[in-house]
Amino acid sequence: MKIFEKREYMDGGPNDRGFTVGFIKTNKTREDLRKEQGHGFIDYIELTEEAFLKRKRQAEYNLKMFDI
């Protein structure tokens, strides 16, 4: 299975880096996901499992800041 980061872009300009709106684990290809979406401002970036787990650990670490 592949892990994809779902990224949404604001205007598609040269400085638009977009922001992550979620992650998807699927057997489909990037092209299949883009065809299903039908929205030009959403893209899918394939991640390795190590990169995904690193982002997950960072998110959990950041979430702990709100424990009071």
Side-chain angles (χ1 to χ4, degrees):
M1 296 206 85
K2 299 176 186 176
I3 300 173
F4 290 93
E5 173 186 9
K6 186 176 181 181
R7 184 167 284 221
E8 184 172 354
Y9 297 93
M10 298 303 286
D11 61 4
N15 294 323
D16 188 4
R17 295 190 179 123
F19 57 94
T20 302
V21 293
F23 295 92
I24 299 171
K25 191 172 188 179
T26 183
N27 286 326
K28 298 179 183 178
T29 65
R30 177 181 180 211
E31 291 77 22
D32 291 340
L33 292 170
R34 292 177 83 186
K35 285 178 187 175
E36 288 177 5
Q37 183 64 34
H39 192 285
F41 288 104
I42 294 181
D43 197 6
Y44 298 89
I45 295 103
E46 187 172 356
L47 298 174
T48 63
E49 188 170 354
E50 294 83 25
F52 173 74
L53 292 175
K54 182 179 177 182
R55 289 185 186 194
K56 182 178 176 181
R57 282 192 301 270
Q58 184 65 41
E60 290 170 344
Y61 177 77
N62 290 339
L63 187 60
K64 288 182 183 180
M65 290 190 301
F66 294 97
D67 289 341
I68 51 176

